[in-house]
């Protein structure tokens, strides 16, 4: 039931060190194998980690041009962290687009120091509900721990994205791309992918009822 | 990136490559046999990728000590008829420029490309310099690819051109090319390697300057026709329209996107320029003549725009030229689809407002500023410096000292909440500036702070200068045994080289002693008291002093701990003892220390904490106890 859109834009947002880059590479790899053109660009800060990261992914039959997503045109925002899901959605999500949120929170240093407050998760989700067509939540970190490694949360999120069935790429092909692009810990990663996939499938089925 | 892909012999196959990986693949397809670089964002992955396949590909690849050396290594290889490449970030060209500005006169035999990865917006740089100007300055040909595919192909085209005119060719990349992934169609890899052949009858020097300058011009002129025909130049005209857009490099992508956003794809002609120096004037002239209005889209300075105006004077035509000079595009920062679309809309008199990000009224979204990693030794050393000055000078360290910063992860020390540095200029300038401050008669201690790789790159001459000229400064070299900021490339203190082979470990203290620095001390920054004491002594010594604070980068240390079976268990905060004074949070600034508002005390983030146990040592109440991790290495 893969939609046959021939042009799709995805923003993956998170915190430096969460593996947004690897996730976008896996998606891009699968897209090229499916015959699409791809552009992926990361925006991040100066040093290695800790800051907000947005990976811009644009997939199309035929040419893709700008490596940066034009404002408010992303079809899907995949948020590896709740606050960053919100930050990216306000800037890039088109009205009615889809959002997948990992509910595991990573506090900014500002909050850690007591200089700022992290908005309540319910509030974040409420705002997202008001601008998105659908908002899907899961605790990807928890599922990754279940799969065998908390680091695999990014793979859980790809599984979740596959289950959404908004990409013009088959879920199975994304699964294969995970294997091909991350040859280490294949079993853990496939389990992570499946857990993310099932979590979202279950959620969507419930909604259909 | 799977390294096997870079070596794949599969012409016609499409793979996903980072722009920088594409440059590397292009070097292999072009038969480049010697490549040298110094790491710097956004250029590092070019050499990193080549290094990972160097052995399999049978080529020589090195991380040089700085960009000037990298250029000279690659240049000499090109003199022997081999093809070579050096790559660097934009400011690296400044370091290499001394050599480039004469090598252009002397020329090359084998094809040589210099890749300059510019950083419009300064995402990870201290300036936005546009190195197309350097191409003009050095009078070398310059290509500007727009996509990862063109990045790969530009190395091949560049080497061919270089061989034809016997000059090094500059390839200008920008952040949105070097760090963009896209589909790239692979070409064939060469079957045979070249043998070096130094033509001994030629002396390679720019001297006599006048003759050689003339030779440079002849060589440049010899390829003017070829530059017109480089495949990255492309006219997409639709005939008889009013507006023609001239775009170079990545700017072209934004123009196409903008035309789509505004729905004017059929209304504008586009000239895409892949050669930016010398400009392909024949191509441009005929395009200029076909339009009343010209919109110039380029990333960086109005480099093409200015030259177009001069060209119009010669052609005696008067199209209206819009771009950066006319205010349609900003003179600073990076382009994006909205900025380019807004400029085009104004010219076409179309109503267009870029969509505005949603601003929330009732929810405050906290910023997430970058920070040094939990457990990073720079944090411990910063703490020690502040304490040492506080104790020695009795007062606010910001007022009681001058601290000259340098380039590396610790550059974050410039910003809130660290506020460590008074200066932050370029590689090695910490010691250079400290030299100067020392001779002004300023009373406060003068401290230069830099990493070991920066020290080897450009810190040695100013250190020697300090000894020779008697500058009373304290140089603190944080030796984390790796070039951390640019993605962990090996430094001379790491014990291995670019291709992972063992290398002699070069120690900063040995260099300092050889330079006859009168006060040299090596400390472990996790040993907080020892470090504070050493800095105090160095301040009191009132002579050129060097303190080497040695600790592996926490990122690598975490990996090393895992390898050795040391588990990371965060220390515990004793609820009874913690008074909630926040001293640990505000003084150490480790991102793993979390303020627990409801209990008004400190928690430790178990996922972030590296187990360095520096916080245990500084808590005045001794409320932080236990733990294991990188502190046990
Ligand atoms: S990468 Fe290494 S040196 Fe850089 S902030 Fe992290 S721990 Fe410190
Ligand atoms: S842990 Fe120690 S330094 Fe930190 S707030 Fe508690 S008492 Fe103060």
């Amino acid at each position: 039931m893969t939609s046959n859109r021939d042009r799709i834009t995805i923003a993956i947002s998170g915190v430096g060190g969460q593996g947004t880059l690897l996730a976008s590479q896996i998606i891009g790899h699968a897209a090229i194998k499916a015959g699409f053109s791809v552009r992926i660009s990361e925006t991040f800060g100066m040093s290695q980690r800790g800051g907000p990261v947005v990976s811009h992914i644009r997939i199309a039959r035929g040419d893709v041009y700008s490596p940066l997503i034009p404002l408010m045109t992303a079809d899907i925002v995949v948020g590896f962290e709740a606050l960053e899901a919100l930050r990216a959605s306000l800037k890039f999500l088109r009205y009615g687009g889809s959002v997948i949120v990992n509910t595991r929170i990573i506090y900014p240093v500002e909050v850690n120091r007591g200089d700022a407050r992290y908005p309540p998760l319910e509030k974040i989700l409420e705002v997202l509900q008001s601008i998105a067509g659908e908002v899907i939540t899961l605790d990807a970190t928890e599922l990754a721990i279940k799969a065998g490694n908390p680091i695999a949360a990014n793979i859980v999120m790809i599984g979740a994205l596959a289950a959404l069935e908004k990409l013009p790429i088959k879920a199975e092909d994304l699964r294969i791309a995970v294997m091909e692009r991350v040859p280490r810990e294949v079993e853990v990663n496939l389990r992570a992918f499946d857990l993310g996939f099932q979590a979202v499938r279950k959620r969507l089925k419930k909604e259909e009822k | 990136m799977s390294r096997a892909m870079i070596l794949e012999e599969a012409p016609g196959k499409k793979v996903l490559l980072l722009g920088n990986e594409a440059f590397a693949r292009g070097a292999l397809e072009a038969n480049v046999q010697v490549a040298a670089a110094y790491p710097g964002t956004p250029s590092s992955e070019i050499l990193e990728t080549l290094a990972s396949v160097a052995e399999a590909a049978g080529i020589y690849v090195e991380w040089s000590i700085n960009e000037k050396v990298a250029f000279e290594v690659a240049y000499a290889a090109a003199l022997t008829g081999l093809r070579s490449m050096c790559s660097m970030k934009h400011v690296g060209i400044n370091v290499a420029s001394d050599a480039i500005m004469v090598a252009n006169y002397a020329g090359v035999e084998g094809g040589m490309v210099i890749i300059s990865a510019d950083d419009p917006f300064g995402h990870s740089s201290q300036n936005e310099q546009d190195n197309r100007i350097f191409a003009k300055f050095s009078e070398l040909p310059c290509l500007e690819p727009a996509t990862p595919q063109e990045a790969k192909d530009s190395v091949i085209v560049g080497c061919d051109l270089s061989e034809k005119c016997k000059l090094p060719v500059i390839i200008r990349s920008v952040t949105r090319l070097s760090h963009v992934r896209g589909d790239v169609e692979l070409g064939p890899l060469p079957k045979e390697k070249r043998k070096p052949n130094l033509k001994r009858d030629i002396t390679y020097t720019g001297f006599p300057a006048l003759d050689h300058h003339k030779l440079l011009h002849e060589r440049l002129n010899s390829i003017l026709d070829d530059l017109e025909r480089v495949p990255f130049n492309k006219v997409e005209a639709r005939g008889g329209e009013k507006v023609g857009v001239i775009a170079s490099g990545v700017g072209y992508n934004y123009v196409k996107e903008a035309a789509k956003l505004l729905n004017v794809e059929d209304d504008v002609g586009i000239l895409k320029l892949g050669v930016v120096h010398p400009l392909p004037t024949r191509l441009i002239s005929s395009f200029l003549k076909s339009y009343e209005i010209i919109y110039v889209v380029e990333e960086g300075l109005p480099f093409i725009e200015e030259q177009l105006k001069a060209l119009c004077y010669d052609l005696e035509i008067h199209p209206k030229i819009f771009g950066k000079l006319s205010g349609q595009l900003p003179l600073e920062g990076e382009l994006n689809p909205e900025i380019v679309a807004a400029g085009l809309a104004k010219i076409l008199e179309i109503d267009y407002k870029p969509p505005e990000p949603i601003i929330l009224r009732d929810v405050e979204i906290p910023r997430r500023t970058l920070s040094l990693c939990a457990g990073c030794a720079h944090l411990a050393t910063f703490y020690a410096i502040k304490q040492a000055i506080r104790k020695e000078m009795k007062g606010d360290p910001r007022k009681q000292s001058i601290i000259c910063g340098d380039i590396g992860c610790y550059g974050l020390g410039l910003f809130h909440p660290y506020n460590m540095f008074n200066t932050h200029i370029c590689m090695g300038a910490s010691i250079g500036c400290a030299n100067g401050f020392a001779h002004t008669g300023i009373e406060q201690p003068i401290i230069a702070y830099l990493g070991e790789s920066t020290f080897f790159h450009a810190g040695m001459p100013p250190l020697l200068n300090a000894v020779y000229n008697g500058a009373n400064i304290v140089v603190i070299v944080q030796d984390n045994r790796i070039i951390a900021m640019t993605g962990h490339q090996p430094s001379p203190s790491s014990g291995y080289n670019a291709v992972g082979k063992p290398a002699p470990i070069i120690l900063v203290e040995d260099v300092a002693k050889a330079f006859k620095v009168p006060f040299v001390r090596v400390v472990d920054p996790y040993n907080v008291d020892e470090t504070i004491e050493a800095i105090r002594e160095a301040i009191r010594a009132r002579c050129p002093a060097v303190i080497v604070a040695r600790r592996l980068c926490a990122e690598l240390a975490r990996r090393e701990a895992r390898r050795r079976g040391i588990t990371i268990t965060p220390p515990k905060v004793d609820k009874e003892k913690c008074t909630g004074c926040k001293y640990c949070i505000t003084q150490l600034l480790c991102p793993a220390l979390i303020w627990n508002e409801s209990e008004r005390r400190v928690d430790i983030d178990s996922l972030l904490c590296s187990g360095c146990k520096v916080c245990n040592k500084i808590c005045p109440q001794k409320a932080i106890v236990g733990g294991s991790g990188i502190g046990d290495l």
Side-chain angles (χ1 to χ4, degrees):
Chain A
M1 202 197 71
T2 307
S3 83
N4 53 6
R5 305 177 54 107
D6 60 357
R7 200 165 265 281
I8 192 151
T9 294
I10 308 159
I12 300 186
S13 65
V15 178
Q18 279 196 302
T20 50
L21 185 66
L22 181 62
S24 49
Q25 279 185 53
I26 291 168
I27 297 166
H29 178 71
I32 287 183
K33 279 189 37 183
F36 289 90
S37 297
V38 180
R39 285 284 181 284
I40 302 172
S41 187
E42 287 240 319
T43 51
F44 57 90
M46 203 162 113
S47 189
Q48 302 291 315
R49 36 207 68 233
V53 190
V54 183
S55 197
H56 300 225
I57 308 177
R58 313 190 72 205
I59 298 171
R61 292 239 178 260
D63 288 322
V64 195
Y65 293 107
S66 168
L68 297 173
I69 301 178
L71 295 173
M72 314 296 245
T73 62
D75 302 293
I76 308 171
V77 168
V78 185
F80 282 22
E81 198 277 342
L83 181 65
E84 297 315 319
L86 177 62
R87 208 192 301 275
S89 297
L90 296 176
K91 198 166 169 195
F92 293 115
L93 188 69
R94 67 169 168 78
Y95 280 95
S98 309
V99 184
I100 308 178
V101 188
N102 179 11
T103 49
R104 179 62 64 101
I105 288 169
I106 301 176
Y107 292 107
V109 268
E110 282 73 2
V111 173
N112 283 351
R113 268 183 280 132
D115 296 347
R117 240 173 258 274
Y118 195 98
L121 184 61
E122 310 81 65
K123 188 75 209 174
I124 292 179
L125 295 176
E126 189 190 306
V127 177
L128 286 174
Q129 296 284 5
S130 72
I131 55 175
E134 61 188 328
V135 178
I136 292 169
T137 56
L138 71 161
D139 188 338
T141 311
E142 191 60 49
L143 292 174
I145 293 172
K146 223 196 245 170
N149 192 345
I151 300 287
N154 57 349
I155 311 290
V156 173
M157 293 301 282
I158 295 182
L161 175 64
L164 197 63
E165 295 195 330
K166 288 271 155 81
L167 297 192
I169 305 164
K170 287 201 210 82
E172 189 48 33
D173 290 343
L174 277 167
R175 201 167 178 274
I176 293 170
V178 170
M179 263 190 290
E180 288 179 348
R181 287 313 288 248
V182 213
R184 278 166 298 122
E185 296 207 31
V186 173
E187 267 170 47
V188 172
N189 285 327
L190 290 184
R191 231 175 307 156
F193 181 94
D194 294 341
L195 285 173
F197 185 84
Q198 285 151 12
V200 172
R201 276 299 54 202
K202 245 188 258 157
R203 197 80 42 85
L204 291 175
K205 273 216 192 95
K206 231 187 267 160
E207 274 168 31
E208 270 166 33
K209 270 182 206 157
Chain B
M1 145 94 257
S2 89
R3 299 304 179 194
M5 204 141 88
I6 286 292
L7 276 178
E8 211 171 351
E9 180 61 80
K13 184 176 172 181
K14 280 198 174 170
V15 294
L16 181 70
L17 292 184
L18 185 70
N20 280 345
E21 291 167 349
F23 280 123
R25 170 74 191 197
L28 293 173
E29 288 183 13
N31 208 8
V32 162
Q33 283 169 248
V34 172
Y38 182 81
T41 315
S43 73
S44 310
E45 297 86 356
I46 303 172
L47 194 103
E48 227 166 43
T49 307
L50 281 176
S52 72
V53 298
E55 218 169 332
I59 60 173
Y60 176 74
V61 176
E62 73 166 41
W63 285 122
S64 308
I65 214 69
N66 65 28
E67 294 86 354
K68 179 171 184 284
V69 176
F71 171 80
E72 288 157 354
V73 167
Y75 179 70
L79 293 183
T80 71
L82 301 189
R83 287 187 161 187
S84 72
M85 175 165 112
C86 67
S87 47
M88 53 198 75
K89 72 179 293 173
H90 58 313
V91 288
I93 291 276
N94 305 340
V95 179
S97 64
D98 214 4
I100 299 176
M101 292 303 291
V102 180
N104 54 355
Y105 284 21
V108 293
E109 297 299 325
M112 174 180 188
V113 294
I114 305 167
I115 302 182
S116 161
D118 294 4
D119 188 15
F121 187 86
H123 292 281
S124 26
S125 312
Q126 58 275 47
N127 75 3
E128 299 195 272
Q129 116 187 16
D130 180 345
N131 276 349
R132 296 175 304 171
I133 306 268
F134 186 80
K136 197 165 163 59
F137 184 41
S138 60
E139 306 186 70
L140 291 175
C142 181
L143 307 177
E144 192 178 1
T147 61
Q149 178 74 51
E150 288 188 1
K152 176 182 83 70
D153 296 338
S154 69
V155 182
I156 304 163
V157 171
C159 280
D160 289 346
L161 283 170
S162 165
E163 242 151 54
K164 187 154 188 209
C165 68
K166 304 228 174 290
L167 294 173
V169 169
I170 295 175
I171 298 175
R172 187 226 193 185
S173 182
V174 290
T175 301
R176 291 299 160 217
L177 175 59
S178 275
H179 279 174
V180 162
R181 286 184 161 76
D183 33 307
V184 175
E185 190 176 322
L186 301 180
L189 292 167
K191 295 265 148 7
E192 267 173 44
K193 293 263 172 297
R194 293 186 182 175
K195 293 239 156 35
N197 173 22
L198 190 63
K199 294 187 189 160
R200 291 198 185 273
D201 55 329
I202 301 175
T203 307
Y204 298 96
T205 168
F207 186 76
L210 190 63
D211 295 351
H212 281 82
H213 197 181
K214 210 162 157 196
L215 183 62
L216 165 61
H217 293 148
E218 284 165 16
R219 287 172 160 171
L220 198 55
N221 288 337
S222 74
I223 54 160
L224 290 182
D225 279 348
D226 302 88
L227 293 178
E228 298 270 345
R229 287 193 303 269
V230 162
F232 320 131
N233 299 324
K234 195 169 71 181
V235 181
E236 295 177 22
R238 288 180 179 79
E241 296 86 356
K242 261 173 57 187
V243 178
V245 184
I246 298 182
S248 77
V250 166
Y252 168 77
N253 303 323
Y254 298 131
V255 169
K256 295 290 281 186
E257 198 71 43
K260 211 160 63 183
L261 282 176
L262 299 177
N263 211 357
V264 296
E265 283 162 292
D266 292 327
D267 303 336
V268 292
I270 301 175
L271 168 58
K272 172 184 176 302
L273 287 179
V275 174
V276 290
H277 186 259
L279 283 178
T281 42
R282 246 179 297 141
L283 190 66
I284 296 176
S285 299
S286 74
F287 188 83
L288 279 177
K289 284 180 193 156
S290 328
Y291 297 92
E292 293 160 33
I293 294 174
I294 296 287
Y295 179 36
V296 192
V297 179
E298 55 191 321
E299 192 120 82
L301 295 168
F303 177 74
I304 296 172
E305 195 177 339
E306 280 176 353
Q307 295 185 66
L308 286 186
K309 292 193 169 169
L311 190 61
C312 287
Y313 180 89
D314 281 348
L315 295 170
E316 295 183 16
I317 54 174
H318 309 284
K320 276 212 163 62
I321 296 181
F322 293 113
K324 291 180 177 247
L325 292 171
S326 64
Q328 257 68 18
L329 293 172
L331 280 163
E332 311 84 18
E334 194 179 27
L335 297 177
N336 64 35
E338 290 82 21
I339 291 175
V340 174
L344 186 57
K346 247 196 250 164
I347 294 165
L348 292 171
E349 296 174 357
I350 301 175
D351 234 358
Y352 168 79
K353 261 215 202 94
E356 274 173 30
I358 302 168
I359 310 246
L360 298 178
R361 255 164 246 241
D362 55 336
V363 190
E364 207 160 313
I365 301 184
R367 283 155 44 97
R368 191 187 290 276
T369 48
L370 304 169
S371 63
L372 294 163
C373 303
C376 176
H378 292 301
L379 293 171
T381 310
F382 284 179
Y383 173 82
I385 293 173
K386 283 183 286 187
Q387 287 308 311
I389 295 166
R390 210 166 264 149
K391 291 193 168 133
E392 245 354 91
M393 307 300 292
K394 318 247 179 308
D396 178 0
R398 293 265 299 159
K399 296 200 184 106
Q400 294 300 320
S401 65
I402 288 182
I403 308 179
C404 302
D406 220 300
I407 311 295
C409 285
Y410 50 91
L412 284 178
L414 196 63
F415 306 116
H416 177 75
Y418 310 103
N419 299 326
M420 283 297 292
F421 301 137
N422 300 90
T423 65
H424 180 261
I425 309 291
C426 63
M427 300 284 283
S430 56
I431 309 184
C433 291
N435 268 277
F437 282 121
H439 297 298
T440 60
I442 283 174
E443 293 285 319
Q444 296 98 308
I446 294 155
I447 293 175
Y449 186 93
L450 73 173
E452 90 286 353
S453 164
T454 307
F455 174 78
F456 292 122
H457 175 287
M460 293 192 294
L463 178 62
L464 195 52
N465 187 71
V467 177
Y468 179 55
N469 291 306
N472 169 21
I473 62 175
V474 179
V475 176
I476 300 177
V477 184
Q478 179 75 55
D479 178 8
N480 62 0
R481 312 212 107 144
I482 208 76
I483 310 178
M485 187 196 188
T486 47
H488 297 117
Q489 295 81 14
S491 82
S493 81
S494 67
Y496 56 97
N497 65 16
V499 296
K501 288 264 161 62
I505 294 176
I506 298 162
L507 296 174
V508 175
E509 61 270 28
D510 292 346
V511 174
K513 282 176 198 154
F515 283 5
K516 303 223 180 321
V517 174
F519 181 108
V520 180
R521 198 64 59 79
V522 182
V523 296
D524 173 2
Y526 287 177
N527 195 334
V528 179
D529 291 337
E530 176 198 17
T531 308
I532 295 172
E533 267 324 298
I535 299 171
R536 293 183 67 178
E537 262 182 64
I539 291 171
R540 262 183 261 142
R542 304 205 63 82
C543 66
V546 168
I547 293 174
V548 183
R550 180 162 294 131
R551 259 292 164 176
L552 190 63
C553 158
E555 276 301 296
L556 294 191
R558 283 183 83 113
R559 267 177 244 169
E560 179 66 18
R562 203 175 313 137
R563 210 177 55 80
R564 289 207 214 156
I566 299 173
T567 49
I568 291 172
T569 332
K572 290 242 163 352
V573 181
D574 186 328
K575 287 190 187 190
E576 304 300 309
K577 283 192 187 158
C578 174
T579 58
C581 68
K582 277 194 179 179
Y583 180 84
C584 54
I585 291 184
T586 58
Q587 297 304 305
L588 188 62
L589 301 163
C590 174
L593 296 168
I594 301 175
W595 178 240
N596 183 331
E597 179 69 44
S598 57
E599 296 184 29
R600 299 210 61 78
R601 63 176 179 84
V602 162
D603 282 336
I604 294 174
D605 184 315
S606 60
L607 285 178
L608 284 181
C609 177
S610 304
C612 70
K613 295 183 282 189
V614 172
C615 55
N616 304 36
K617 293 168 191 154
I618 67 158
C619 167
Q621 309 300 330
K622 298 273 168 277
I624 307 179
V625 289
S628 68
I630 63 173
D632 302 310
L633 285 174

